[in-house]
Amino acid sequence: MTIQTVAIIGAGQMGRGIAETCAVHGKSVVLVDQNQDSLATAKTVIAENLARDVKKDRLSAKQSKKIQQAIVFTAKLEDIVPADLLIEAVNENESSKKSVLRACQEHLRDDALMASNTSSISITRLAAVSKKPDQFIGLHFMNPVPKMQLVEMIRGLQTSDTTFEVTQDFILGLGKTIALSEDFPAFIVNRILIPMINEAILTLYEGVGNVENIDKAMKLGAKHPMGPLELADYIGLDTVLAILNTLHEGLADQKYRPCPLLNRYVEAGWLGRKVGRGFYDYSSNPPKPTR
Ligand code: CAA
């Protein structure tokens, strides 16, 4: 089996990035979201990204048009019927993911594979809601998907060799490089990255440095492309908190305890770039540090 048609559930920053990458690599894509605004934003962002590639002579206008036509933007779950592979990319919330997965399998073919783009939740546990846990796998893309080289692959306890091999070929066909992770909370990237971001927030909370100095220190002192607070805003502070909670509960170690300041920002709705405010205020250009 080869994957030709991909259904993606959730048109947020991960879902739309996965959709764009799949379409650029010749796949037919069905991008599903119940929220029409999310679908409209996804369509616009993908068109803008492709327009940049046309401007830089990496794509012709004709190719860009063909890629956009390869994506069906829809609010109807029944449109996923032709999919060879379903990728769930909804919020990092276990019960939301499980209910979406349950609803999807009612519409999928028997031989279709299912994947979750979860950044932290157990693949074995998510697979358990599927009627075919052997056809379920973790495919963790990085943000921004069209630019980032890596995809983490995570096998659940029951994932079959065939499911692994077919999805591995699919990911390699998208031009990505694979890192294999065992099914532990937050896998490899986020097990290391998210505690580092939490430490940056603690460094801010304790007054060791302000936002500007913490980000400058890590960009210029450790050669990170983005400072940890800028990156937290980029990922979304709700997602950062959800991953920390999964690490804290799953590994039962105090070192993963979320910084109280992070909890407070999430409670305030200051979720980062997607809402216009987090550790930076994005209403001005360049964004202004808020502490
Ligand atoms: N979508 C698509 N392409 C994008 C993009 C986006 N949202 N943002 C930037 N780019 C592209 C630009 O078009 C540009 O492409 P070319 O050079 O090929 O023309 C390239 O990326 C560089 O962009 P810029 O010059 O505007 O900006 P930059 O040099 O600062 O790079 C960045 C932007 C690629 C995002 C870079 O800052 C970076 O690598 N940051 C770190 C990102 C990171 O760590 N991601 C992982 C997050 S963790 C995660 O995803 C896992 C999780 O579960 C939480």
Side-chain angles (χ1 to χ4, degrees):
M1 180 185 184
T2 52
I3 307 292
Q4 183 47 40
T5 301
V6 186
I8 298 153
I9 313 295
Q13 55 185 355
M14 297 308 293
R16 70 182 180 233
I18 298 168
E20 178 185 328
T21 303
C22 289
V24 164
H25 288 84
K27 308 296 175 193
S28 301
V29 177
V30 182
L31 181 60
V32 187
D33 201 303
Q34 285 171 341
N35 184 327
Q36 289 291 351
D37 289 346
S38 302
L39 287 175
T41 303
K43 201 169 184 173
T44 307
V45 171
I46 291 171
E48 285 169 0
N49 284 345
L50 296 172
R52 203 166 47 219
D53 286 338
V54 171
K55 204 168 158 199
K56 292 193 171 176
D57 277 337
R58 287 189 291 231
L59 278 181
S60 68
K62 200 170 154 198
Q63 284 169 315
S64 162
K65 195 170 167 205
K66 200 170 154 209
I67 292 164
Q68 290 174 74
Q69 284 169 344
I71 308 174
V72 174
F73 297 85
T74 177
K76 288 190 270 168
L77 208 50
E78 51 273 31
D79 289 343
I80 68 174
V81 171
D84 304 312
L85 169 68
L86 175 120
I87 304 176
E88 168 281 310
V90 303
N91 289 347
E92 193 62 7
N93 174 298
E94 189 163 336
S95 62
S96 310
K97 285 185 184 293
K98 284 179 171 168
S99 67
V100 161
L101 290 167
R102 267 191 213 101
C104 285
Q105 65 181 341
E106 301 307 319
H107 300 284
L108 287 174
R109 286 198 322 265
D110 275 357
D111 63 339
L113 305 182
M114 286 176 105
S116 174
N117 179 56
T118 176
S119 35
S120 62
I121 299 165
S122 162
I123 297 303
T124 303
R125 252 189 353 254
L126 292 176
V129 306
S130 157
K131 288 175 194 152
K132 300 194 183 68
D134 56 313
Q135 289 171 214
F136 196 100
I137 194 155
L139 299 176
H140 182 214
F141 291 80
M142 306 294 138
N143 188 22
V145 180
K147 272 288 137 195
M148 301 298 282
Q149 188 63 47
L150 189 79
V151 176
E152 282 183 297
M153 287 189 68
I154 308 103
R155 293 181 71 148
L157 198 61
Q158 302 181 72
T159 307
S160 72
D161 289 345
T162 306
T163 300
F164 177 75
E165 283 153 18
V166 171
T167 46
Q168 175 177 245
D169 286 350
F170 163 71
I171 296 295
L172 294 174
L174 299 181
K176 301 295 188 195
T177 301
I178 294 165
L180 283 182
S181 171
E182 292 299 322
D183 192 13
F184 272 65
F187 319 125
I188 296 173
V189 170
N190 285 334
R191 169 84 177 254
I192 299 168
L193 179 68
I194 299 297
M196 192 267 298
I197 288 176
N198 195 39
E199 199 62 33
I201 302 169
L202 277 162
T203 307
L204 177 69
Y205 185 58
E206 290 174 8
V208 182
N210 62 15
V211 169
E212 185 190 350
N213 279 287
I214 291 168
D215 276 353
K216 184 166 52 179
M218 294 308 288
K219 269 161 79 173
L220 303 182
K223 215 166 179 16
H224 289 191
M226 281 180 174
L229 300 172
E230 186 189 0
L231 183 57
D233 276 359
Y234 188 62
I235 294 168
L237 301 190
D238 49 343
T239 302
V240 172
L241 180 61
I243 298 170
L244 272 166
N245 282 331
T246 302
L247 280 165
H248 194 206
E249 286 156 23
L251 298 170
D253 190 327
Q254 281 305 309
K255 75 178 174 182
Y256 301 111
R257 187 174 75 97
C259 174
L261 188 62
L262 174 62
N263 271 309
R264 230 177 280 160
Y265 268 54
V266 173
E267 282 161 6
W270 293 348
L271 304 182
R273 205 186 273 207
K274 63 187 167 190
V275 299
R277 190 186 173 97
F279 292 110
Y280 291 83
D281 177 350
Y282 295 89
S283 61
S284 55
N285 193 12
K288 247 171 69 195
T290 55
R291 272 173 187 263

